[in-house]
Amino acid sequence: MAIFAAPLDGFASGSNFLKSRGQGAAPPGASGLCSTYSWACARGSANGTLSAGDMKVVQAVNRQVNRTTRAIEDRQQYGEAERWAIPTRRGGDCEDYALAKKRALIGKGIDPQRLLIATVLDRSRRPHAVLVVRTDQGDVVLDNVTNSIRSWRDTRYVFLRMQDPNRPSRWVNVQAGG
C-alpha cells in the first residue's frame, strides 16, 4: 500500500497529525542546530508523494541507525547535559539518532520538510526525542528504542514540540498525548 505525503502548506488536518499549538522555543541543546547542520532545518519542495518504496527506505534507515549506533548520554560523551549532534564513533543519545535518521533520509531523496524532529515525554515521562515522518495518513514516528514505525498516537508518548513543517528552523508547541 502506498503512503502519500501530507499537504505541507500548514499543519495537516485530522487526528492522525500532530497539530501546532503556536510557536515554541527550541529544546535545550538545539539552539545552534541550524547553523551546525543546515540540512536539519532545510525546507523541501513540498511536492511529490511518499511511495511504498519510500516507506521501505524509511524502515531500512530506521533499522540501520538503530543497529549501528550505540546509546551514550551527552554527559558521558561531551561532559555537558545536552548537545544535539550526529552520533560519533562512541554513539549518541536519542536526538542524535533522530538527526542521523533525518540526514540519511534526506540523502536518499526524502523531502526534508516531511522529516521533523520532535521532543516528547516517553512512557516513563522522561524527556526523549524522535523523528516524525509526515505522510498523508498521519504522522509516524522513528524511535531509537524500537525498529517499529508507529503512528504518533500509538507511541503513548506526550508530544511537547517539534520542528515547524513550514519553517523547520523554528519550533512549534504540539502538546498532544499518544
Side-chain angles (χ1 to χ4, degrees), residues 33-51:
L33 182 65
C34 299
S35 59
T36 304
Y37 306 115
S38 60
W39 52 264
C41 301
R43 293 176 77 168
S45 65
N47 294 321
T49 60
L50 287 178
S51 67

Side-chain angles (χ1 to χ4, degrees), residues 5-36:
L8 294 173
D9 55 344
F11 276 80
S13 60
S15 64
N16 293 331
F17 296 93
L18 291 160
K19 292 178 182 49
S20 173
R21 306 279 186 236
Q23 192 170 342
S31 60
L33 182 65
C34 299
S35 59
T36 304

Side-chain angles (χ1 to χ4, degrees), residues 56-74:
K56 286 181 181 180
V57 168
V58 169
Q59 291 169 336
V61 165
N62 188 53
R63 283 191 307 271
Q64 189 269 334
V65 172
N66 286 351
R67 184 181 67 247
T68 60
T69 305
R70 190 175 138 254
I72 184 171
E73 296 297 321
D74 287 338

Side-chain angles (χ1 to χ4, degrees), residues 71-85:
I72 184 171
E73 296 297 321
D74 287 338
R75 197 163 300 285
Q76 284 179 279
Q77 181 153 230
Y78 302 112
E80 56 189 87
E82 198 61 53
R83 180 187 291 187
W84 287 40

Side-chain angles (χ1 to χ4, degrees), residues 64-78 85-98 100-101 126 128-129 143-146:
Q64 189 269 334
V65 172
N66 286 351
R67 184 181 67 247
T68 60
T69 305
R70 190 175 138 254
I72 184 171
E73 296 297 321
D74 287 338
R75 197 163 300 285
Q76 284 179 279
Q77 181 153 230
Y78 302 112
I86 292 296
T88 67
R89 286 195 310 260
R90 293 182 69 197
D93 64 0
C94 56
E95 69 274 353
D96 304 344
Y97 281 80
K101 292 172 186 182
R126 291 182 306 246
H128 186 51
D143 197 341
N144 66 301
V145 300
T146 181

